[in-house]
Amino acid sequence: MTRATALHIDLSVISANVSTLRQRIGAQKFMAVVKADAYGHGAVRVAQHIETDVDALAVAITEEAIALREAGVVAPILVLEGPQSEDELLLMADMALWPTLHHAEQLAWCGQHASLLSAAWLKVDTGMHRLGFSADALPQALSALQATGITDITLMSHLATAEYPEAELTRLQQGVWHEQLTDWPAAASLHNSAAARTQSEGRSDWARIGYALYGGQIKGLTPDETLRPAMRFTTSVLTLRDVKSGESVGYGGRWIAQRDSRIATLPVGYADGYPWAAVDGTPIGIAHQTAPLAGQVSMDMMTVDVTDCAHIELGAPAELWGAHPTVDQAAQHCNTIGYELMTRVTSRVPRCYHA
Ligand SMILES: Cc1ncc(COP(=O)(O)O)c(C=O)c1O
């Protein structure tokens, strides 16, 4: 490793977050969402570390589940996007995966291979309008699925605005969900991180928790200090220079010094996953202080105004996100969300695991 830029993942923090969230979700079973490489934290490492502490795992696509099985993960795994072909359904059966079923063709494929499937999750579209059977089509879908002989069926839905319990859309979705569950005798799953945080109304026997597991904070809610960030994106100062008042820094000359200033250049850029969209003033942790980004982020470097910081020398440690600033604070300055930042750190950045 020649440059200092690295992504540190603390697996023990994820375990601690699991324990904290267990208390939050009460009697619900815990499904840890490890899709998108466990939100950038490394799906195999995370799944191996927590699989005995949770009741099941969830991924988006079958390839992600296969990678976990090949690494020896034996926990139940739900594939949230379900099969895109009959062959994929067979592969899922072969790997003992749980498919999410959300359209009629998938039910027909299940009819052909039901004996190979141990369980299935049936998705109802309560109003997000992304995946799932409409409430009107659900009874027929359910009959078709039951007719295949699969008995372990979990009903699921997903809230579009779970972080806003009073929002009209949340209320509407909860109403539709409630109606579907009136006579539903088996398990049901509605809650994600935000719904678990807000103690959302609506029956849920399984919570599907992703972002909060990694210590992400839910936008719009007051931060939950008991959850800690498991990811730290760090680097150190590559070089320092003084610029005079009126001189500009970086591409396009966007940042112009309003006073004589000291600029630290960090060896990390958008090719590493730090957003090009970051605006001047985006907080960067540096030598245990906070300094503002000064100038357009380049492919491999970025510049920070450290004029007001003490003890900044070559090699001084810098934190792009982690404890200070958090990934959510960084995202606020980059026209994005912490979810995107976590999942976009590129393979050029070495991963360092701590347990
Ligand atoms: C269907 C479904 N359930 C659960 C989750 C987990 O959501 P969160 O990371 O907000 O907990 C997601 C995430 O996108 C999802 O698509």
Side-chain angles (χ1 to χ4, degrees):
M1 200 161 108
T2 52
R3 64 172 187 164
T5 305
L7 195 69
H8 296 269
I9 310 292
D10 193 332
L11 296 169
S12 68
V13 168
I14 299 179
S15 297
N17 289 342
V18 169
S19 307
T20 304
L21 287 159
R22 272 248 181 241
Q23 293 161 14
R24 271 317 129 60
I25 64 173
Q28 290 182 85
K29 289 189 179 171
F30 197 129
M31 177 172 275
V33 181
V34 295
K35 65 191 171 106
D37 206 22
Y39 292 46
H41 293 69
V44 166
R45 296 296 297 260
V46 171
Q48 285 175 337
H49 195 75
I50 62 169
E51 70 166 321
T52 53
D53 300 333
V54 298
D55 300 294
L57 303 166
V59 294
I61 61 175
T62 303
E63 281 81 351
E64 293 175 326
I66 292 173
L68 296 181
R69 286 283 182 257
E70 286 176 351
V73 171
V74 297
I77 305 176
L78 175 68
V79 180
L80 291 165
E81 286 181 15
Q84 272 193 279
S85 68
E86 188 170 344
D87 283 349
E88 188 179 346
L89 181 78
L90 271 172
L91 193 57
M92 294 171 85
D94 201 37
M95 292 274 163
L97 307 175
W98 294 347
T100 299
L101 304 172
H102 51 82
H103 66 73
E105 281 77 4
Q106 293 171 325
L107 299 180
W109 304 331
C110 282
Q112 301 299 315
H113 309 289
S115 61
L116 304 173
L117 291 165
S118 61
W121 285 43
L122 188 63
K123 189 157 191 176
V124 55
D125 178 5
T126 49
M128 185 163 174
H129 299 147
R130 184 176 68 170
L131 282 188
F133 293 92
S134 68
D136 289 347
L138 188 68
Q140 205 188 339
L142 184 58
S143 307
L145 187 56
Q146 284 168 331
T148 66
I150 299 174
T151 50
D152 187 350
I153 301 171
T154 300
L155 197 62
M156 72 180 287
S157 195
H158 195 48
L159 296 173
T161 50
E163 62 276 41
Y164 304 111
E166 302 306 327
E168 201 181 325
L169 184 53
T170 309
R171 293 268 171 228
L172 184 143
Q173 287 198 264
Q174 282 167 337
V176 176
W177 179 243
H178 183 70
E179 275 171 36
Q180 302 315 309
L181 287 178
T182 316
D183 300 319
W184 179 245
S189 174
L190 182 64
H191 293 173
N192 61 355
S193 295
R197 262 302 298 283
T198 59
Q199 313 259 298
S200 166
E201 284 170 27
R203 187 182 133 200
S204 184
D205 306 306
W206 281 89
R208 309 181 307 266
I209 307 279
Y211 198 52
L213 187 62
Y214 310 105
Q217 298 292 340
I218 308 302
K219 207 174 159 190
L221 302 180
T222 48
D224 180 341
E225 307 291 349
T226 59
L227 295 174
R228 286 194 292 130
M231 175 185 284
R232 286 176 57 238
F233 191 9
T234 64
T235 187
S236 70
V237 173
L238 173 66
T239 183
L240 286 156
R241 77 200 50 251
D242 295 314
V243 297
K244 296 216 175 314
S245 178
E247 288 183 329
S248 69
V249 172
Y251 280 118
R254 179 178 85 181
W255 188 85
I256 297 173
Q258 301 300 308
R259 55 180 172 162
D260 291 352
S261 305
R262 191 145 176 79
I263 299 294
T265 301
L266 306 181
V268 58
Y270 62 79
D272 299 298
Y274 193 88
W276 178 86
V279 296
D280 290 336
T282 300
I284 312 289
I286 192 152
H288 311 293
Q289 300 151 79
T290 305
L293 180 75
Q296 183 75 60
V297 173
S298 324
M299 188 182 286
D300 316 300
M301 285 175 272
M302 54 198 274
T303 38
V304 183
D305 176 6
V306 293
T307 315
D308 293 328
C309 297
H311 314 301
I312 306 293
E313 297 162 351
L314 289 193
E319 184 159 290
L320 306 166
W321 61 73
H324 304 289
T326 64
V327 71
D328 300 286
Q329 288 164 340
Q332 276 171 24
H333 296 263
C334 305
N335 192 26
T336 186
I337 51 175
Y339 287 73
E340 191 188 11
L341 295 190
M342 276 184 186
T343 53
R344 61 184 276 175
V345 178
T346 65
S347 59
R348 186 165 79 170
V349 180
R351 270 61 174 168
C352 305
Y353 283 91
H354 310 269

